[in-house]
Amino acid sequence: MGTLREWVSRLWGVLSPDRPDRELEEELRQHLEFAAEDARRRGQTSERDVRAIRLRAGGITQAMEAVRAQRRIPTIESVVRDVRYGLRQLRLSPGFTIVALLSLALGIGANSAMFQLLNAVRLRPLPVARPAELAVVTRSGSFYGAGWSTGRNESFTFAQYQEISRRQQAFSGLLAFSTRRFNLSSGGQVRYAEGLYVSPNFLEVLGVRPQLGAWPADVDPRDCGREGVLLNDGFWRREFGADPGVIGRTMTLDGRRLPVLAVAPPAFYGVEPAYRFDIAVPLCADAGADRESRLSLKWAWWLTMMGRLEPGWTVERAARHLHEISPAVFAETVPETYRPDVAARYLENRLGAASAQAGVSSLREQYEGALWILLGMTALVLCIACANLANLLLARAAAREREAVLRQALGASRGRLVRQLMCESLILAVAGALIGTWFAHASSRALVAFLSGSEGGLYLPIDLDWRVLGFTIALAGGTCVLFGLGPALRATLVSPASVMHGGRGPTSLADRHTFRRGLVVFQVALSFVLLSGALLFGRSLRNLTTAETGMVTEGVLAATVTTEADKGRRPLLFNDIEDRVRRLPDVAAAAIVLYPPFSPAGWNQEVYVGSDKAKTALAWLNRVSPHYFETMGTPIVAGRDFSAQDRAGTPNVAIVNQAFARAVFGDANPIGARFEYEAQAGEQDPVFTVVGLVGNTKYGAIRESTRLIAFLPVAQDVPMSDRLTVVLRARGAMSSAQAGVEREVASVDPRALIEFKPLDVQIADSLARERLVASLSGGFGALAVVLATLGLYGVMAYIIARRRSEIGVRMALGAGRVDILALVFGEASRLMVIGIVLGVGGSLLVLRSATSLLFGLSPTDPATLAIAAVCLAITGLIAVLLPTRNAVRTDPAVVLRGD
């Protein structure tokens, strides 16, 4: 305890030295006065006697130093003194301090923001018990599965889940789930909640206990005798005001009333790091008003499987085990609708496993590569900022050379001086990291909102954790070394002779500016890489937004209508809705489509001509009503549009696009030609006669290559789907057309549900990743160019100032302004050319990793590299103008008199 008190006392003496020093000085003075008074009482009254007493006792200063050495901690005291000295120096240079803090805050903040997103998408473990024990069942190799796919991460059928659960030995528990958006409205416009279908053991396997109620885990997945709802904590608080009496109350989901059984704990958001579920219901609740549940459909791909490993099992061992049981699993789950050739491909499928510590996410696959690229770009921006600060610190160090030499002459070691100069850099780095952390938090939230698009609903936990904190601390330490160590070593490696000669020794001009020139070349090279990347991503986004879609998307509104009407009433109901919408004054044209353009859903089939089934082509199919091509602005090249006569019971007809006609029929006229696709086992292949040819259009995404598309009449769909989309082209304001559609649909079917989405908005949402990369890379590229320009300006201004005497001598010996201009611009041009050449090489190496993000461009696009070089050259010219102006205005007489 005494030792602890002693250390605390010493530390307090270091942190607050003024009061202890005053008390110590007063105590020592009193001691000397008592000694002198005692001497006088003994008759020693002369000044010599008093002086002898003071010498025997020691001086006040020496005594205070001796006591300080015992009272304090020398190392900590030295560091505290360095910090105070550094703070004073920074306070004396407010301009430099503000520029340095802003540069570091932007650089560190941008890096931390990107890392926060990566941490949320890729690194952060699930908020469940022992997440490292979780593994997800995967599809290995070239996996084949024909049928109906729904959900964000759909991989397996319910039959496969049951068979794997029965045969596997790797997991103590195996759960299954599927994503779904549940409609909370009972009519009119839809109001969605993010939902999950889950197996009964969902919470049990994850080790999550509800905060309210209970979730049945010991029931058969098919048994809905205890069917109910699990609420997320946030949804419970938002919709029910955190009412603890919510258990047992009923709520409407897709028109069905289900009781609330439990409320999840606050920290649990689900198993997808990008989405937070609002509602979870049992798998057995999957059923529509009149459709068969996916539990019984062996060709319905809608489930994701995740399990908790048995003790002693690893993910690799589980993967090998699942691969071994694959033949038996797939042999028992072959869909009855598969033909022998399709079943043979299905039986070749194999299973695997992967770690699910961080959950499963389709967003991860979509954005992870882009986020890594953006993190690399922010790292380059931070390096450029550090190079700028290093140049500024070199200038400050040059002004303090005499001070450094004098302090070394008085006994200070070089290490002590380096530590003191590094202390200033550390203060800047820490302060920049603190400001950057605030900036990163605000930026991360803005980025999440950007990624969410028009619908929102994206959930990413971006609060600080030990990974983000450690990353920020590492950035602060790394930047401190990057921009501080070089100038500190350079400032203390100065010979007294060079300082005494005013820095004009024989090696002065050759050596002193080499490091600064190297920093500028480094900045220019990195800026070229960033600028060329920004130009590539910007041009790629422009290519995407101006890509030919085969339709006029502006002014098109998609209204998806879901009805509970009987199968027999649906054709009349949808026809009535279409006719009413078409007659609205704010609607120029309208039609019905099964899969609206750029939607995630789709339908494909292997089609063939005649009896040769060996020659098939993969085609994408869709069902539309008459006037669809007029509504979408797609030209009919040959043949006719669908008509009212193309209905159920009449021969099957189709309209194909030009890519389909070329691939299936070759150079022959497609009008009147026939094609077929393979039906389910036991059914006859349908035959379609081509009655029309349309231009090529996009089907599901802007990025896709031209697909083979066949359009079929929606009236020949038997039975007609309970969910179709009315696409309309508005004459004026979209809101007026939307209000009219709501009114007409409600008059036909008051219980029908409607969801609106402008086609332009849907396309913009599909390009969210590209817009994110283009926007951020453009900002980083612009910032890099600005920093490089400032760096070049600073170096040229510094070099010209240091060579002022040389320029004066040159002009005195007859050099003209043109010669001085050539001298300055030649220096700057050499730096720019070397930097651009190195930047071109860096771009060719680095930007190859971004090929998947580009559209219509190559990473080595010559035009992009040329534009980047010209932009940097122009900014470099601008940066040199002002220093050059000062150089040519040098008066030789003034310079020589000053020397």
Side-chain angles (χ1 to χ4, degrees):
M1 183 62 71
T3 305
L4 179 61
R5 285 201 190 99
E6 181 181 347
W7 273 92
V8 171
S9 176
R10 289 187 175 191
L11 186 60
W12 175 252
V14 170
L15 298 178
S16 55
D18 293 341
R19 182 178 176 184
D21 282 355
R22 288 196 301 269
E23 293 176 353
L24 176 61
E25 184 177 3
E26 182 64 25
E27 182 179 347
L28 290 173
R29 291 186 184 281
Q30 291 181 1
H31 174 73
L32 290 177
E33 289 177 2
F34 289 154
E37 183 64 27
D38 184 62
R40 291 190 187 94
R41 285 197 297 268
R42 294 197 302 269
Q44 300 174 344
T45 58
S46 67
E47 288 295 329
R48 182 180 298 175
D49 295 333
V50 173
R51 183 171 181 274
I53 294 172
R54 292 182 181 273
L55 289 175
R56 285 196 301 271
I60 292 179
T61 302
Q62 292 85 347
M64 289 181 67
E65 290 297 330
V67 174
R68 284 196 191 101
Q70 296 181 359
R71 177 182 290 180
R72 296 178 179 172
I73 307 169
T75 303
I76 297 180
E77 184 176 13
S78 177
V79 171
V80 170
R81 286 179 176 174
D82 288 344
V83 170
R84 288 175 173 164
Y85 180 79
L87 289 172
R88 285 197 302 269
Q89 292 297 320
L90 294 175
R91 190 172 65 245
L92 292 174
S93 304
F96 164 78
T97 304
I98 292 173
V99 170
L101 287 179
L102 285 177
S103 300
L104 288 174
L106 288 174
I108 293 177
N111 277 271
S112 296
M114 289 297 106
F115 185 80
Q116 274 188 312
L117 285 180
L118 267 173
N119 180 53
V121 170
R122 189 72 182 88
L123 305 176
R124 184 190 289 264
L126 291 174
V128 300
R130 305 181 304 281
E133 299 176 2
L134 297 177
V136 62
V137 181
T138 61
R139 307 197 295 193
S140 179
S142 180
F143 198 93
Y144 176 80
W148 176 24
S149 298
T150 54
R152 277 191 296 270
N153 306 288
E154 78 288 348
S155 298
F156 300 101
T157 68
F158 181 76
Q160 292 163 354
Y161 168 59
Q162 285 191 305
E163 195 63 27
I164 294 172
S165 298
R166 188 172 67 86
R167 294 179 179 274
Q168 67 83 24
Q169 301 174 8
F171 304 104
S172 59
L174 185 67
L175 65 85
F177 72 92
S178 178
T179 61
R180 170 68 182 269
R181 295 172 70 197
F182 292 111
N183 178 36
L184 305 179
S185 175
S186 57
Q189 283 206 48
V190 297
R191 187 166 69 92
Y192 283 123
E194 288 293 330
L196 295 175
Y197 286 112
V198 299
S199 57
N201 62 346
F202 182 71
L203 295 183
E204 181 183 41
V205 173
L206 295 175
V208 176
R209 299 183 61 182
Q211 61 174 312
L212 288 177
W215 187 252
D218 55 348
V219 298
D220 187 277
R222 292 180 178 271
D223 181 18
C224 269
R226 299 167 67 182
E227 181 183 14
V229 177
L230 169 69
L231 301 181
N232 173 269
D233 177 79
F235 182 83
W236 169 57
R237 296 180 183 278
R238 185 173 67 250
E239 295 289 329
F240 296 96
D243 180 11
V246 71
I247 305 300
R249 293 172 57 179
T250 60
M251 57 186 305
T252 302
L253 302 180
D254 291 339
R256 303 176 60 190
R257 298 193 66 81
L258 297 174
V260 176
L261 298 183
V263 178
F268 181 65
Y269 56 81
V271 291
E272 294 182 281
Y275 297 91
R276 176 173 51 192
F277 82 97
D278 294 321
I279 297 167
V281 298
L283 293 177
C284 62
D286 174 59
D290 56 0
R291 66 173 172 80
E292 194 174 5
S293 171
R294 287 175 292 182
L295 297 176
S296 59
L297 300 179
K298 290 185 177 181
W299 44 268
W301 303 82
W302 63 302
L303 296 178
T304 304
M305 284 184 278
M306 183 184 294
R308 186 172 293 277
L309 294 170
E310 289 277 12
W313 282 71
T314 63
V315 174
E316 292 75 18
R317 183 183 174 189
R320 291 193 298 269
H321 170 65
L322 291 171
H323 190 273
E324 291 169 359
I325 67 173
S326 296
V329 168
F330 291 111
E332 291 294 328
T333 59
V334 179
E336 301 84 355
T337 58
Y338 281 8
R339 293 190 176 197
D341 55 336
V342 177
R345 294 177 62 184
Y346 174 83
L347 291 174
E348 296 175 358
N349 290 332
R350 292 297 180 265
L351 301 171
S355 174
Q357 179 176 355
V360 293
S361 173
S362 58
L363 189 83
R364 179 182 303 161
E365 299 176 3
Q366 183 181 2
Y367 281 98
E368 184 178 359
L371 291 177
W372 279 115
I373 289 174
L374 289 174
L375 182 62
M377 297 186 79
T378 57
L380 294 183
V381 171
L382 185 58
C383 288
I384 296 173
C386 288
N388 248 0
L389 291 180
N391 259 328
L392 291 174
L393 286 174
L394 279 173
R396 285 167 56 85
R400 296 163 64 179
E401 287 176 348
R402 292 180 181 272
E403 173 193 346
V405 169
L406 181 60
R407 294 182 66 181
Q408 289 185 73
L410 294 176
S413 66
R414 186 186 179 204
R416 180 72 178 82
L417 293 177
V418 169
R419 191 180 74 185
Q420 188 177 74
L421 293 174
M422 285 295 293
C423 193
E424 292 183 36
S425 303
L426 182 61
I427 293 170
L428 290 173
V430 171
L434 292 175
I435 301 173
T437 300
W438 171 84
F439 172 74
H441 189 64
S443 300
S444 298
R445 293 188 178 278
L447 290 176
V448 171
F450 185 95
L451 295 179
S452 295
S454 61
E455 292 184 354
L458 193 65
Y459 172 75
L460 286 172
I462 54 173
D463 50 306
L464 281 177
D465 64 2
W466 66 269
R467 293 176 186 81
V468 177
L469 188 61
F471 180 79
T472 306
I473 292 173
L475 278 182
T479 54
C480 174
V481 173
L482 276 176
F483 72 80
L485 186 59
L489 294 175
R490 190 77 176 171
T492 56
L493 191 63
V494 180
S495 65
S498 65
V499 174
M500 297 304 294
H501 286 90
R504 294 192 302 271
T507 63
S508 157
L509 296 177
D511 294 339
R512 287 191 160 204
H513 308 316
T514 302
F515 187 52
R516 296 174 64 89
R517 293 188 181 100
L519 288 175
V520 170
V521 170
F522 175 73
Q523 284 181 283
V524 172
L526 294 186
S527 298
F528 186 91
V529 175
L530 286 170
L531 183 58
S532 56
L535 289 171
L536 279 174
F537 294 134
R539 294 181 65 198
S540 180
L541 178 62
R542 180 181 177 277
N543 290 344
L544 284 167
T545 55
T546 59
E548 180 57 48
T549 62
M551 59 191 80
V552 181
T553 59
E554 185 180 358
V556 175
L557 177 66
T560 302
V561 180
T562 305
T563 179
E564 297 180 6
D566 296 334
K567 297 178 182 178
R569 288 191 58 237
R570 289 176 191 169
L572 293 175
L573 184 145
F574 280 113
N575 284 338
D576 193 9
I577 291 176
E578 181 186 5
D579 290 339
R580 287 170 176 264
V581 171
R582 189 179 291 117
R583 289 197 299 267
L584 289 172
D586 296 309
V587 174
I592 290 177
V593 59
L594 179 60
Y595 301 113
F598 310 107
S599 67
W603 170 24
N604 59 33
Q605 294 279 2
E606 295 281 353
V607 300
Y608 62 93
V609 177
S611 59
D612 190 0
K613 296 185 179 181
K615 294 183 179 180
T616 62
L618 180 65
W620 292 82
L621 282 67
N622 203 349
R623 290 196 179 272
V624 301
S625 71
H627 309 290
Y628 172 77
F629 303 106
E630 174 192 353
T631 303
M632 302 306 299
T634 301
I636 296 180
V637 179
R640 66 174 177 87
D641 194 357
F642 294 133
S643 67
Q645 283 69 41
D646 300 317
R647 59 184 183 276
T650 61
N652 293 325
V653 295
I655 296 175
V656 300
N657 70 345
Q658 293 170 315
F660 184 104
R662 189 177 305 110
V664 177
F665 304 114
D667 295 330
N669 183 6
I671 305 301
R674 295 184 177 185
F675 69 89
E676 304 175 47
Y677 67 73
E678 294 185 350
Q680 298 179 0
E683 297 181 4
Q684 186 176 359
D685 292 354
V687 180
F688 297 87
T689 301
V690 177
V691 298
L693 178 68
V694 295
N696 292 328
T697 63
K698 301 292 185 179
Y699 190 92
I702 296 290
R703 277 185 171 273
E704 69 186 20
S705 56
T706 303
R707 299 188 187 183
L708 282 61
I709 305 176
F711 299 93
L712 313 178
V714 71
Q716 290 185 339
D717 181 19
V718 181
M720 184 175 285
S721 173
D722 64 345
R723 180 185 176 93
L724 293 175
T725 298
V726 178
V727 289
L728 61 93
R729 182 170 299 279
R731 291 186 190 276
M734 196 83 75
S735 57
S736 300
Q738 179 173 323
V741 173
E742 284 187 75
R743 187 171 57 253
E744 296 301 332
V745 171
S747 66
V748 175
D749 184 359
R751 300 181 61 187
L753 302 172
I754 316 171
E755 180 183 8
F756 293 98
K757 194 157 192 179
L759 198 55
D760 284 345
V761 173
Q762 191 161 329
I763 294 175
D765 287 349
S766 69
L767 298 178
R769 181 187 66 173
E770 286 75 9
R771 291 185 185 278
L772 174 73
V773 174
S775 301
L776 293 184
S777 63
F780 297 151
L783 180 60
V785 170
V786 171
L787 290 174
T789 303
L790 291 176
L792 180 62
Y793 165 77
V795 166
M796 294 308 301
Y798 178 80
I799 291 177
I800 289 173
R802 301 288 287 196
R803 298 177 66 177
R804 186 167 175 267
S805 299
E806 176 195 345
I807 292 173
V809 171
R810 286 174 179 270
M811 297 183 72
L813 294 177
R817 293 193 173 188
V818 175
D819 300 314
I820 303 302
L821 285 173
L823 176 70
V824 175
F825 275 103
E827 176 81 17
S829 299
R830 282 192 294 272
L831 298 180
M832 291 295 296
V833 169
I834 295 173
I836 289 175
V837 170
L838 293 177
V840 170
S843 298
L844 296 179
L845 289 175
V846 173
L847 294 177
R848 292 185 184 275
S849 61
T851 303
S852 62
L853 297 176
L854 301 179
F855 181 79
L857 286 172
S858 165
T860 58
D861 180 61
T864 301
L865 298 178
I867 293 172
V870 171
C871 288
L872 274 180
I874 292 175
T875 56
L877 175 65
I878 295 173
V880 180
L881 285 178
L882 185 59
T884 304
R885 180 185 176 190
N886 294 334
V888 298
R889 289 184 175 182
T890 301
D891 188 343
V894 174
V895 172
L896 296 176
R897 277 200 304 269
D899 288 344

